Short mmCIF file of all heavy atoms in Angstrom, two decimals:
data_model
loop_
_atom_site.label_atom_id
_atom_site.label_comp_id
_atom_site.label_asym_id
_atom_site.label_seq_id
_atom_site.Cartn_x
_atom_site.Cartn_y
_atom_site.Cartn_z
N PRO A 133 -23.16 -12.99 58.23
CA PRO A 133 -22.94 -13.86 59.39
C PRO A 133 -24.10 -13.78 60.39
O PRO A 133 -24.72 -12.72 60.55
CB PRO A 133 -21.64 -13.33 59.98
CG PRO A 133 -21.58 -11.90 59.56
CD PRO A 133 -22.23 -11.84 58.22
N VAL A 134 -24.36 -14.93 61.03
CA VAL A 134 -25.35 -14.98 62.14
C VAL A 134 -24.56 -14.95 63.45
O VAL A 134 -23.77 -15.86 63.72
CB VAL A 134 -26.21 -16.25 62.03
CG1 VAL A 134 -27.20 -16.31 63.20
CG2 VAL A 134 -26.95 -16.28 60.69
N ILE A 135 -24.76 -13.94 64.24
CA ILE A 135 -23.98 -13.69 65.46
C ILE A 135 -24.83 -14.01 66.69
O ILE A 135 -26.00 -13.61 66.77
CB ILE A 135 -23.48 -12.24 65.49
CG1 ILE A 135 -22.74 -11.87 64.19
CG2 ILE A 135 -22.57 -12.02 66.69
CD1 ILE A 135 -21.51 -12.72 63.93
N TYR A 136 -24.18 -14.69 67.62
CA TYR A 136 -24.85 -14.97 68.90
C TYR A 136 -23.84 -14.71 70.01
O TYR A 136 -22.81 -15.40 70.09
CB TYR A 136 -25.36 -16.41 68.95
CG TYR A 136 -26.12 -16.74 70.22
CD1 TYR A 136 -27.43 -16.27 70.39
CD2 TYR A 136 -25.54 -17.51 71.22
CE1 TYR A 136 -28.12 -16.56 71.54
CE2 TYR A 136 -26.24 -17.80 72.38
CZ TYR A 136 -27.54 -17.32 72.54
OH TYR A 136 -28.23 -17.59 73.70
N HIS A 137 -24.18 -13.71 70.87
CA HIS A 137 -23.29 -13.31 71.96
C HIS A 137 -21.88 -13.03 71.46
O HIS A 137 -20.88 -13.49 72.03
CB HIS A 137 -23.25 -14.39 73.06
CG HIS A 137 -24.54 -14.50 73.80
ND1 HIS A 137 -25.05 -13.51 74.61
CD2 HIS A 137 -25.45 -15.53 73.84
CE1 HIS A 137 -26.19 -13.88 75.13
NE2 HIS A 137 -26.49 -15.12 74.67
N GLY A 138 -21.80 -12.29 70.36
CA GLY A 138 -20.51 -11.87 69.82
C GLY A 138 -19.75 -12.94 69.07
O GLY A 138 -18.59 -12.74 68.70
N ARG A 139 -20.38 -14.09 68.86
CA ARG A 139 -19.70 -15.19 68.18
C ARG A 139 -20.53 -15.61 66.98
O ARG A 139 -21.75 -15.72 67.07
CB ARG A 139 -19.52 -16.36 69.14
CG ARG A 139 -18.77 -17.55 68.54
CD ARG A 139 -18.44 -18.56 69.65
NE ARG A 139 -19.68 -19.06 70.25
CZ ARG A 139 -20.33 -20.15 69.84
NH1 ARG A 139 -19.86 -20.84 68.81
NH2 ARG A 139 -21.42 -20.56 70.46
N GLN A 140 -19.81 -15.79 65.81
CA GLN A 140 -20.49 -16.22 64.59
C GLN A 140 -20.75 -17.71 64.67
O GLN A 140 -19.83 -18.51 64.73
CB GLN A 140 -19.65 -15.90 63.34
CG GLN A 140 -20.36 -16.32 62.04
CD GLN A 140 -19.57 -15.94 60.79
OE1 GLN A 140 -18.58 -15.23 60.88
NE2 GLN A 140 -20.01 -16.43 59.65
N ILE A 141 -22.04 -18.06 64.68
CA ILE A 141 -22.41 -19.47 64.75
C ILE A 141 -23.04 -19.96 63.46
O ILE A 141 -23.31 -21.16 63.31
CB ILE A 141 -23.39 -19.72 65.92
CG1 ILE A 141 -24.69 -18.94 65.69
CG2 ILE A 141 -22.73 -19.34 67.24
CD1 ILE A 141 -25.76 -19.26 66.73
N GLY A 142 -23.27 -19.05 62.52
CA GLY A 142 -23.89 -19.45 61.26
C GLY A 142 -23.70 -18.38 60.19
O GLY A 142 -23.18 -17.29 60.45
N THR A 143 -24.13 -18.72 58.98
CA THR A 143 -23.98 -17.81 57.84
C THR A 143 -25.19 -17.95 56.94
O THR A 143 -25.64 -19.08 56.67
CB THR A 143 -22.72 -18.11 57.03
OG1 THR A 143 -21.57 -18.08 57.89
CG2 THR A 143 -22.53 -17.10 55.91
N VAL A 144 -25.68 -16.80 56.49
CA VAL A 144 -26.75 -16.76 55.49
C VAL A 144 -26.15 -16.23 54.20
O VAL A 144 -25.55 -15.14 54.19
CB VAL A 144 -27.91 -15.87 55.94
CG1 VAL A 144 -28.95 -15.77 54.83
CG2 VAL A 144 -28.55 -16.43 57.19
N VAL A 145 -26.28 -17.01 53.13
CA VAL A 145 -25.75 -16.60 51.81
C VAL A 145 -26.93 -16.45 50.86
O VAL A 145 -27.72 -17.38 50.71
CB VAL A 145 -24.75 -17.62 51.28
CG1 VAL A 145 -24.22 -17.17 49.91
CG2 VAL A 145 -23.60 -17.81 52.26
N ALA A 146 -27.01 -15.27 50.25
CA ALA A 146 -28.06 -15.00 49.25
C ALA A 146 -27.40 -14.76 47.90
O ALA A 146 -26.28 -14.25 47.83
CB ALA A 146 -28.90 -13.80 49.67
N SER A 147 -28.10 -15.11 46.84
CA SER A 147 -27.58 -14.91 45.48
C SER A 147 -28.65 -14.31 44.59
O SER A 147 -29.84 -14.43 44.86
CB SER A 147 -27.09 -16.23 44.89
OG SER A 147 -28.19 -17.10 44.62
N VAL A 148 -28.18 -13.66 43.52
CA VAL A 148 -29.09 -13.09 42.52
C VAL A 148 -28.44 -13.24 41.16
O VAL A 148 -27.21 -13.10 41.01
CB VAL A 148 -29.39 -11.60 42.83
CG1 VAL A 148 -28.12 -10.75 42.72
CG2 VAL A 148 -30.47 -11.07 41.89
N GLY A 149 -29.24 -13.60 40.15
CA GLY A 149 -28.73 -13.72 38.79
C GLY A 149 -28.47 -12.35 38.17
O GLY A 149 -29.22 -11.39 38.40
N LEU A 150 -27.41 -12.26 37.38
CA LEU A 150 -27.01 -10.98 36.78
C LEU A 150 -27.51 -10.82 35.35
O LEU A 150 -27.21 -9.81 34.71
CB LEU A 150 -25.49 -10.85 36.79
CG LEU A 150 -24.82 -10.83 38.18
CD1 LEU A 150 -23.31 -10.70 38.02
CD2 LEU A 150 -25.38 -9.70 39.02
N ASP A 151 -28.28 -11.79 34.84
CA ASP A 151 -28.72 -11.70 33.45
C ASP A 151 -29.59 -10.47 33.19
O ASP A 151 -29.44 -9.78 32.18
CB ASP A 151 -29.48 -12.97 33.06
CG ASP A 151 -28.56 -14.18 32.97
OD1 ASP A 151 -27.33 -13.96 32.88
OD2 ASP A 151 -29.05 -15.32 33.00
N ALA A 152 -30.52 -10.20 34.11
CA ALA A 152 -31.40 -9.05 33.91
C ALA A 152 -30.62 -7.74 33.92
O ALA A 152 -30.88 -6.83 33.11
CB ALA A 152 -32.47 -9.03 35.00
N TYR A 153 -29.65 -7.65 34.82
CA TYR A 153 -28.85 -6.42 34.90
C TYR A 153 -28.00 -6.26 33.64
O TYR A 153 -27.85 -5.15 33.11
CB TYR A 153 -27.98 -6.46 36.14
CG TYR A 153 -28.77 -6.48 37.43
CD1 TYR A 153 -29.04 -7.69 38.08
CD2 TYR A 153 -29.25 -5.31 37.99
CE1 TYR A 153 -29.77 -7.72 39.25
CE2 TYR A 153 -29.98 -5.32 39.17
CZ TYR A 153 -30.24 -6.53 39.80
OH TYR A 153 -30.96 -6.54 40.96
N ARG A 154 -27.44 -7.38 33.19
CA ARG A 154 -26.63 -7.31 31.98
C ARG A 154 -27.48 -6.98 30.75
O ARG A 154 -27.04 -6.27 29.85
CB ARG A 154 -25.89 -8.61 31.77
CG ARG A 154 -24.78 -8.82 32.80
CD ARG A 154 -23.95 -10.03 32.49
NE ARG A 154 -22.84 -10.17 33.41
CZ ARG A 154 -21.94 -11.14 33.36
NH1 ARG A 154 -22.05 -12.10 32.45
NH2 ARG A 154 -20.95 -11.18 34.24
N SER A 155 -28.67 -7.51 30.73
CA SER A 155 -29.56 -7.18 29.62
C SER A 155 -29.88 -5.69 29.60
O SER A 155 -29.89 -5.05 28.53
CB SER A 155 -30.85 -8.00 29.72
OG SER A 155 -31.76 -7.62 28.70
N THR A 156 -30.11 -5.14 30.80
CA THR A 156 -30.36 -3.69 30.88
C THR A 156 -29.15 -2.90 30.41
O THR A 156 -29.26 -1.92 29.67
CB THR A 156 -30.73 -3.31 32.32
OG1 THR A 156 -31.89 -4.03 32.73
CG2 THR A 156 -30.99 -1.82 32.42
N ALA A 157 -27.95 -3.34 30.87
CA ALA A 157 -26.73 -2.64 30.46
C ALA A 157 -26.50 -2.74 28.96
O ALA A 157 -26.12 -1.75 28.31
CB ALA A 157 -25.54 -3.19 31.23
N ASP A 158 -26.75 -3.93 28.38
CA ASP A 158 -26.55 -4.10 26.95
C ASP A 158 -27.54 -3.26 26.15
O ASP A 158 -27.19 -2.66 25.13
CB ASP A 158 -26.69 -5.58 26.57
CG ASP A 158 -25.56 -6.43 27.14
OD1 ASP A 158 -24.52 -5.85 27.51
OD2 ASP A 158 -25.73 -7.67 27.23
N THR A 159 -28.79 -3.23 26.62
CA THR A 159 -29.80 -2.42 25.94
C THR A 159 -29.43 -0.94 25.99
O THR A 159 -29.56 -0.21 25.00
CB THR A 159 -31.18 -2.65 26.57
OG1 THR A 159 -31.51 -4.04 26.51
CG2 THR A 159 -32.24 -1.83 25.87
#
Side-chain angles (χ1 to χ4, degrees):
V134 179
I135 308 298
Y136 183 75
H137 292 294
R139 182 170 62 91
Q140 181 177 351
I141 63 174
T143 305
V144 175
V145 180
S147 69
V148 64
L150 298 180
D151 290 343
Y153 296 96
R154 290 187 175 180
S155 176
T156 301
D158 292 342
T159 303

